Amino acid sequence: MTQPQAASNKQQAIPPDSLQLPPLAAYIHIPWCVKKCPYCDFNSHTSQTALPEDAYIDAMIADLEQDLPLAAGRELTSIFFGGGTPSLFSAASLDRFLQALNARLPFAADIEITLEANPGTFEQAKFSDYRAAGINRLSIGIQSFNAGHLKALGRIHDDREALSAVDMARRAGFDNLNLDLMHGLPNQSHEQAIADIDQAMALAPEHLSWYQLTLEPNTVFYSKPPTLPEEDILWSIQEAGQQRMAAGGYAQYEVSAYAQPGRQARHNLNYWQYGDFLGIGAGAHGKITHSDGAIERHWKTRLPKDYLAAGKDVRAGRKTLAADELPFDFLMNALRLVDGVPASYYSARTGQSLTDIEPLLQQAAAKGLLEPWAHQLRPTERGKLFLNDLLELFL
């Protein structure tokens, strides 16, 4: 295990008598996929043999035991199984982990438990069993309803399986669905992109994630770039898509997240509002506020084979954030939200006074990127368009 990195500027701890720990969530990473998509830069791996489900669940329980002192008995408000493709694991395996987690940490009465699932892995009985295990939200990786675009993206499902997946999810009892959609796909027209949105809304999911395809380093698409739409087409897709979803009752609340009233993703909101989260599984990252107010980020061994062989100690690195790192770390999350966060969150969740970054806030406001911040830290319309420029002021 690597040692914590030295801080360039010691973090100022929150006085214990005024400390209010933020909500705590858990992110659970299942790193395997049937096939690695050419655009994917996540920690995902294909396997030519049967997945070591039992061994991996055992390793994650050991990982959880290692992190329990960080959680200090706090209640979990949300759990998210991400990947990879978590729906490759059986409901029995995920249920075993959830029972182990709940035996060690209390669950909120209204806890949100999300499972990422891909249409090519759907079976009716399997998803009914997921629901019976306590998973109450599905995030389905549709990406597109166009057969040609799905093939170009390397997806293992076709357009018919995409539609069938939503139907099976509803029949399994899921009343909280997110559909993942991408736009700006290879050779995609404006009309095709909007057709995907229309098809998604016709299925009436509670939540839509809609984001532009980007070419990330260490992916097949990065080394062999496909032909993507021109900038003016991308801009027209973005504008028309947002208008279409707003008219259909899906309000944008984050850069790439749209929801029906009251159906925002609680787990993701916790990230953006600078909440805490345990990271369990190969390559998972976590953030914890300690009882003295110090904020730590940590990460786990990345490769599945190393994670399975590591025994109880799977933490690959950890770092206590320095005081001069906190403004950017906080704002890179908070300013992704369309309405930002209450200004009081800054001091409550970093231990710093907002007056400490007043000159930087003034610069952002002078550039037209930030709204007045007395009550709410919120980007302007221009700030939403130039979010990277806004955040760079706080580096």
Side-chain angles (χ1 to χ4, degrees):
M1 182 176 71
T2 61
Q3 296 299 313
Q5 298 180 22
S8 60
N9 183 16
K10 187 177 179 181
Q11 184 183 138
Q12 179 181 352
I14 303 170
D17 59 354
S18 62
L19 178 65
Q20 291 183 322
L21 294 176
L24 178 68
Y27 173 77
I28 317 301
H29 193 75
I30 309 291
W32 288 283
C33 282
V34 173
K35 177 184 177 184
K36 182 81 170 180
C37 295
Y39 58 85
C40 178
D41 67 338
F42 295 150
N43 183 33
S44 60
H45 307 267
T46 58
S47 177
Q48 304 304 316
T49 59
L51 297 181
E53 284 194 37
D54 287 341
Y56 192 75
I57 296 296
D58 288 341
M60 290 204 300
I61 293 172
D63 184 353
L64 171 62
E65 287 280 356
Q66 173 188 264
D67 276 1
L68 279 181
L70 300 177
R74 293 161 62 186
E75 180 181 81
L76 288 175
T77 60
S78 67
I79 300 167
F80 193 102
F81 287 95
T85 306
S87 53
L88 291 176
F89 270 31
S90 68
S93 290
L94 299 188
D95 184 42
R96 182 160 76 91
F97 180 78
L98 285 172
Q99 290 189 43
L101 181 56
N102 195 199
R104 291 161 175 80
L105 291 172
F107 287 8
D110 62 345
I111 190 168
E112 175 191 271
I113 305 179
T114 301
L115 175 75
E116 284 188 339
N118 287 337
T121 65
F122 263 74
E123 298 170 12
Q124 187 64 61
K126 186 178 184 180
F127 281 81
S128 296
D129 289 343
Y130 286 141
R131 186 66 190 90
I135 294 166
N136 53 26
R137 184 175 183 270
L138 285 183
S139 180
I140 305 176
I142 300 289
Q143 311 313 350
S144 176
F145 292 97
N146 181 296
H149 292 145
L150 288 170
K151 185 175 181 180
L153 290 173
R155 304 297 289 177
I156 64 170
H157 67 276
D158 60 24
D159 51 325
R160 291 169 297 174
E161 288 173 308
L163 295 171
S164 177
V166 177
D167 178 63
M168 282 193 281
R170 293 301 195 196
R171 285 192 280 124
F174 286 97
D175 60 2
N176 195 0
L177 296 183
N178 169 65
L179 302 186
D180 261 5
L181 290 178
M182 299 173 70
H183 62 279
L185 308 181
N187 298 305
Q188 185 183 47
S189 69
H190 173 106
E191 291 74 21
Q192 289 171 329
I194 301 307
D196 274 345
I197 291 176
D198 288 343
Q199 176 63 84
M201 290 195 299
L203 297 171
E206 286 69 30
H207 190 283
L208 286 168
S209 298
W210 188 62
Y211 45 92
Q212 183 180 321
L213 171 65
T214 56
L215 306 185
E216 302 292 347
N218 303 314
T219 65
V220 172
F221 273 3
Y222 190 82
S223 59
K224 299 177 181 178
T227 302
L228 300 181
E230 299 291 337
E231 283 295 325
D232 58 339
I233 296 177
L234 291 174
W235 182 250
S236 73
I237 289 172
Q238 185 74 29
E239 283 192 313
Q242 289 178 338
Q243 291 170 6
R244 202 70 145 228
M245 284 186 280
Y250 292 87
Q252 183 182 19
Y253 68 99
E254 188 267 345
V255 170
S256 58
Y258 305 77
Q260 294 177 349
R263 306 314 289 264
Q264 295 88 346
R266 257 187 284 162
H267 186 85
N268 289 343
L269 275 176
N270 187 58
Y271 290 146
W272 300 321
Q273 294 173 346
Y274 214 56
D276 284 349
F277 53 97
L278 297 174
I280 306 296
H285 285 237
K287 169 192 169 282
I288 291 293
T289 305
H290 290 279
S291 58
D292 64 356
I295 296 172
E296 174 191 304
R297 290 194 177 272
H298 57 266
W299 50 97
K300 305 299 173 61
T301 300
R302 186 173 184 275
L303 295 178
K305 65 180 180 63
D306 295 335
Y307 184 85
L308 288 166
K312 192 172 180 67
D313 189 355
V314 294
R315 194 176 296 157
R318 58 193 302 184
K319 177 181 179 180
T320 299
L321 297 179
D324 59 2
E325 295 174 302
L326 288 172
F328 178 79
D329 201 60
F330 177 89
L331 292 168
M332 68 180 268
N333 291 284
L335 295 182
R336 287 182 62 90
L337 291 169
V338 170
D339 292 327
V341 298
S344 60
Y345 277 25
Y346 183 76
S347 58
R349 299 190 176 182
T350 69
Q352 295 187 348
S353 170
L354 202 58
T355 58
D356 294 342
I357 57 171
E358 189 92 17
L360 298 177
L361 297 173
Q362 290 173 348
Q363 286 184 43
K367 292 177 179 288
L369 301 174
L370 191 72
E371 299 279 6
W373 58 86
H375 303 291
Q376 192 83 358
L377 289 167
R378 177 168 49 206
T380 61
E381 290 302 316
R382 177 180 172 81
K384 294 170 193 173
L385 293 175
F386 298 98
L387 186 57
N388 287 340
D389 293 339
L390 171 55
L391 293 173
E392 283 176 4
L393 296 173
F394 299 91
L395 280 173

